């Protein structure tokens, strides 16, 4: 068991869950079995996040690019998502987990949208950990949608081009009101950001592991958090400046 230091934990963890297909292939199973086992990892990681008191967890569950996958796989993923949300509702309520979804949700099948809406509504009073699923999500598409929203405000005369600041852009992203992720975890050994949180990850620490998502459970998660706690985040300042600021503020 690893020792985590509560004050040093990230406030927002984002995860690119990758490797379900390879996990299944290694076992001569079909890809859907990999996704099912991946859903078990989701369950365990959400539970662990709540238990250790991390307030924000975002999981990249279905990208805009994932629409290119075979129809049967998309169908199975949608079914699995619905099943997961229904099965987990009680636990989310008991543990104060607030659920939300970001992305082009209107592109998802209507029945999935309905379960999403219901889960968002029921869990909305919860205050412990916010679980966000990125669904039909793409970082470039998110920026495009934000630019369109800002352009419309300019056209209406609500703002001018001089009002465009980092804050205004952030307020028009799907993640409005959420802190930027402190830690990004990507499983399965791929070293890409795959169109995820392109704006939000400016200063995010990245942790990559060869472990495939269905095998990424509590112990692996704690290893990632422990590694994060060892990193020094400088946000563009020098190491000396960070140490100096710490000695002034941590007294
Ligand atoms: C990547 O594995 C994973 C996905 C495209 C979907 C993520 C879905 C889950 C973890 C399961 C269900 C989710 C929830 C929220 C219940 P891959 O298929 O790209 O794996 P590969 O690269 O090895 O083929």
């Amino acid at each position: 068991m690893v020792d985590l230091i509560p004050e040093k934990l990230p406030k927002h963890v984002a995860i690119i869950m990758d490797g379900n297909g390879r996990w299944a292939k290694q076992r001569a199973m079909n890809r859907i079995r990999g996704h099912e086992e991946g859903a078990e990892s989701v369950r365990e990681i959400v539970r662990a996040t709540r238990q250790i008191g991390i307030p924000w967890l975002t999981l990249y569950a279905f990208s805009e690019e994932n629409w290119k996958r075979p129809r049967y796989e998309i169908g199975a993923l949608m079914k699995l998502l619905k099943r997961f949300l229904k099965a987990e509702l009680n636990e989310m309520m008991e543990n104060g987990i607030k659920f939300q979804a970001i992305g082009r949700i209107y592109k998802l099948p209507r029945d999935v949208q309905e379960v999403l809406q219901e889960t968002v509504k029921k869990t909305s009073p919860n205050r412990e950990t916010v679980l966000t699923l990125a669904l039909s999500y793409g970082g470039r598409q998110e920026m495009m949608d934000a630019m369109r929203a800002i352009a419309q405000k300019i056209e209406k005369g609500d703002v001018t081009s001089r009002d465009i600041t980092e804050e205004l852009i952030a307020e028009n992203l799907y993640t409005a009101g959420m802190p930027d992720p402190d830690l990004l975890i990507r499983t399965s050994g791929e070293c890409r950001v795959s169109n995820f949180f392109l704006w939000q990850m400016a200063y995010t620490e990245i942790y990559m592991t060869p472990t495939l998502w269905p095998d990424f459970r509590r112990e692996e998660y704690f290893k990632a958090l422990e590694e994060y706690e060892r990193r020094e985040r400088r946000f563009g300042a020098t190491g000396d400046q960070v140490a100096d600021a710490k000695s002034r503020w941590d007294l």
Side-chain angles (χ1 to χ4, degrees), residues 142-158:
E142 178 183 35
M143 284 191 198
M144 206 160 83
D145 288 346
M147 284 181 205
R148 284 190 182 141
I150 294 171
Q152 278 170 4
K153 285 174 191 160
I154 293 176
E155 281 164 8
K156 274 175 51 194
D158 293 344

Side-chain angles (χ1 to χ4, degrees), residues 160-179:
T160 72
S161 60
R162 285 171 172 271
D163 297 320
I164 299 179
T165 56
E166 288 190 20
E167 289 72 26
L168 184 74
I169 295 171
E171 279 165 26
N172 283 278
L173 295 170
Y174 308 149
T175 49
M178 293 170 66

Side-chain angles (χ1 to χ4, degrees), residues 25-241:
K25 200 169 176 195
Q26 283 172 3
R27 291 161 179 78
M29 293 170 170
N30 75 39
R31 299 177 53 81
I32 312 304
R33 266 299 294 136
H35 294 315
E36 284 169 357
E37 203 56 34
E40 288 303 316
S41 293
V42 171
R43 219 163 258 138
E44 194 164 317
I45 297 308
V46 173
R47 202 170 284 168
T49 303
R50 164 68 184 89
Q51 277 170 0
I52 50 184
I54 293 175
W56 299 86
L57 172 68
T58 301
L59 304 175
Y60 199 9
F62 193 84
S63 72
E64 272 287 81
E65 291 71 28
N66 286 153
W67 290 115
K68 293 183 207 146
R69 294 198 173 199
R71 270 242 305 258
Y72 83 91
E73 184 171 342
I74 295 176
L77 279 167
M78 295 298 147
K79 238 181 166 165
L80 193 54
L81 176 61
K82 250 174 73 176
R83 205 160 74 208
F84 174 86
L85 292 171
K86 287 185 175 175
E88 294 306 298
L89 182 63
N90 275 348
E91 186 162 338
M92 287 196 241
M93 296 310 292
E94 280 163 18
N95 291 297
I97 292 172
K98 179 179 165 130
F99 173 81
Q100 56 181 30
I102 55 168
R104 292 183 169 170
I105 304 301
Y106 60 87
K107 290 175 77 175
L108 300 172
R110 183 134 301 275
D111 57 334
V112 175
Q113 288 187 46
E114 280 167 11
V115 181
L116 287 169
Q117 273 166 12
E118 207 181 298
T119 315
V120 169
K121 200 168 156 207
K122 289 203 170 127
T123 63
S124 64
N126 296 345
R127 291 285 172 270
E128 298 300 332
T129 291
V130 180
L131 166 64
T132 305
L133 290 189
L135 293 165
S136 193
Y137 174 91
R140 286 189 173 180
Q141 290 80 359
E142 178 183 35
M143 284 191 198
M144 206 160 83
D145 288 346
M147 284 181 205
R148 284 190 182 141
I150 294 171
Q152 278 170 4
K153 285 174 191 160
I154 293 176
E155 281 164 8
K156 274 175 51 194
D158 293 344
V159 293
T160 72
S161 60
R162 285 171 172 271
D163 297 320
I164 299 179
T165 56
E166 288 190 20
E167 289 72 26
L168 184 74
I169 295 171
E171 279 165 26
N172 283 278
L173 295 170
Y174 308 149
T175 49
M178 293 170 66
D180 286 342
D182 303 295
L183 171 65
L184 170 78
I185 298 172
R186 181 165 189 153
T187 58
S188 91
E190 307 292 349
C191 300
R192 291 188 287 275
V193 289
S194 298
N195 204 14
F196 189 43
F197 277 176
L198 298 181
W199 171 273
Q200 297 86 343
M201 285 207 289
Y203 292 104
T204 302
E205 293 292 326
I206 302 181
Y207 177 89
M208 311 236 178
T209 167
T211 304
L212 304 175
W213 177 251
D215 291 326
F216 191 88
R217 299 289 165 102
R218 224 182 149 82
E219 288 297 301
E220 290 281 332
Y221 189 31
F222 285 2
K223 266 202 266 172
L225 294 170
E226 203 186 29
E227 158 80 26
Y228 171 83
E229 291 194 337
R230 276 197 298 268
R231 300 216 187 148
E232 176 191 62
R233 301 186 73 197
R234 300 211 296 258
F235 299 97
T238 66
D240 287 347
Q241 284 173 310

